Amino acid sequence: MATHHEAGADSPHLSRDEQGQASQHANPQAPVIHEVVREEGEHALRRPVPALAWSALAAGLSMGFSFLVQAVLAAGMPDAPWRHLVAGLGYCTGFVIVILGRQQLFTESTLTVVLPVLENRDVRTVMLALRLWVVVLAANVAGTFAFAALLLVPGVFEPEVVRSLQALAIEAMPERFWPTVLRAVFAGWLIALMVWLLPSARAARLMTILFISYIVGIAHLAHIIAGSVEAAYAVMTGHASPGDFLLRFFAPTLLGNMIGGISLVAMINHAAVAAELQDRKQGKGGAGRQG
């Protein structure tokens, strides 16, 4: 596949303007995507704690709409085997709001801030990443609990929607630890891949978000923030205990999402371009010394 420079930039058949047009239509290469995502991570690491916390709180609240819209769609359909395929469209709602609204979501940061850690390899970057994860995860979960509490206000939604909310909340509380971890690995993997794909998606950003998050929803994969709204609602309605929230949902889902995002996407994709990036750095350094 041609790089930006190669895609028409040196073609003798094109004028300078046409070469520029060809370069604009070329897909960005893996090192370019890596640097775009890494720079997003660097920016997030530099943000002050209050900014991170408010953005993450907004993300947690926004993710609540995945739960609500999914329940509304399910409530309006017959109890058929295909119902979850339609209701799953509602699961995409929160992800669209969060990602296009540039709100801070924990599962995105398992990719974005890991790349600066792998690139810099110093204690300061590691500590900044840990600070971000703690602040963002806590604020995300706080936002999900606040949204779940709002859903409990009586008289706001029709009885059919309330029953649908309760059914989805009960489904969100898994019975077994390790199967939940594996489902969470797949979810973290897919969401981190979505973040990796977005720089090259361009006009298809919305479709990319919809497609990936829809798969997570209809496959009933475990997502730490989207699922937290449902699990919090289960606790608040008495269908689960706080211990159930922590041990049956939160712990296995957090573990799996981090494995999927960090090891299966961040580390592998970084490894795929690390040698090339290092060669480019050394080449620039050599050119600078020659100059």
Side-chain angles (χ1 to χ4, degrees):
M1 185 180 294
T3 63
H4 280 296
H5 180 70
E6 293 167 342
D10 294 323
S11 174
H13 307 292
L14 300 178
S15 67
R16 185 175 298 275
D17 289 342
E18 290 170 334
Q19 290 175 7
Q21 293 173 19
S23 296
Q24 290 175 5
H25 285 282
N27 289 326
Q29 300 300 294
V32 177
I33 296 174
H34 179 281
E35 288 305 288
V36 170
V37 177
R38 185 192 62 80
E39 182 55 37
E40 288 184 5
E42 293 279 8
H43 173 72
L45 292 177
R46 292 192 297 267
R47 296 186 73 183
V49 170
L52 284 173
W54 284 112
S55 181
L57 180 65
L61 290 166
S62 297
M63 288 303 299
F65 287 104
S66 288
F67 179 37
L68 175 59
V69 177
Q70 196 174 7
V72 171
L73 291 175
M77 290 182 293
D79 188 8
W82 47 264
R83 182 169 69 169
H84 74 287
L85 297 177
V86 179
L89 293 170
Y91 189 84
C92 308
T93 308
F95 289 95
V96 171
I97 296 171
V98 167
I99 295 171
L100 295 185
R102 308 290 294 176
Q103 297 170 350
Q104 200 77 43
L105 187 65
F106 175 78
T107 44
E108 286 186 80
S109 67
T110 59
L111 170 64
T112 54
V113 304
V114 171
L115 294 186
V117 171
L118 295 174
E119 186 74 15
N120 299 332
R121 299 185 183 184
D122 56 34
V123 175
R124 177 180 176 276
T125 308
V126 172
M127 297 306 296
L128 287 174
L130 292 175
R131 182 200 69 162
L132 181 142
W133 281 340
V134 170
V135 172
V136 171
L137 181 60
N140 278 169
V141 173
T144 64
F145 268 81
F147 193 96
L150 291 174
L151 296 178
L152 295 175
V153 177
V156 177
F157 300 107
E158 298 294 327
E160 295 81 4
V161 174
V162 174
R163 286 193 293 269
S164 184
L165 288 168
Q166 292 176 351
L168 288 173
I170 293 171
E171 290 176 6
M173 300 301 298
E175 294 293 335
R176 294 181 294 172
F177 188 92
W178 291 112
T180 304
V181 171
L182 185 56
R183 287 197 300 272
V185 167
F186 284 122
W189 190 351
L190 282 169
I191 297 303
L193 278 176
M194 178 179 66
V195 176
W196 183 265
L197 292 172
L198 286 177
S200 59
R202 297 178 181 172
R205 283 173 62 86
L206 177 59
M207 290 304 300
T208 302
I209 299 168
L210 290 172
F211 179 69
I212 299 295
S213 58
Y214 179 70
I215 294 174
V216 175
I218 64 171
H220 301 293
L221 303 180
H223 186 272
I224 188 65
I225 307 305
S228 180
V229 189
E230 302 167 353
Y233 189 86
V235 171
M236 293 178 182
T237 54
H239 292 95
S241 68
D244 291 331
F245 177 89
L246 291 173
L247 299 178
R248 290 170 54 189
F249 165 75
F250 190 83
T253 305
L254 177 62
L255 175 61
N257 282 174
M258 294 193 71
I259 292 173
I262 294 173
S263 63
L264 295 179
V265 180
M267 290 184 176
I268 291 177
N269 285 341
H270 175 75
V273 301
E276 185 175 354
L277 292 174
Q278 186 63 30
D279 289 344
R280 293 184 181 187
K281 287 182 180 179
Q282 291 175 354
K284 289 180 179 179
R289 286 191 295 272
Q290 291 174 6

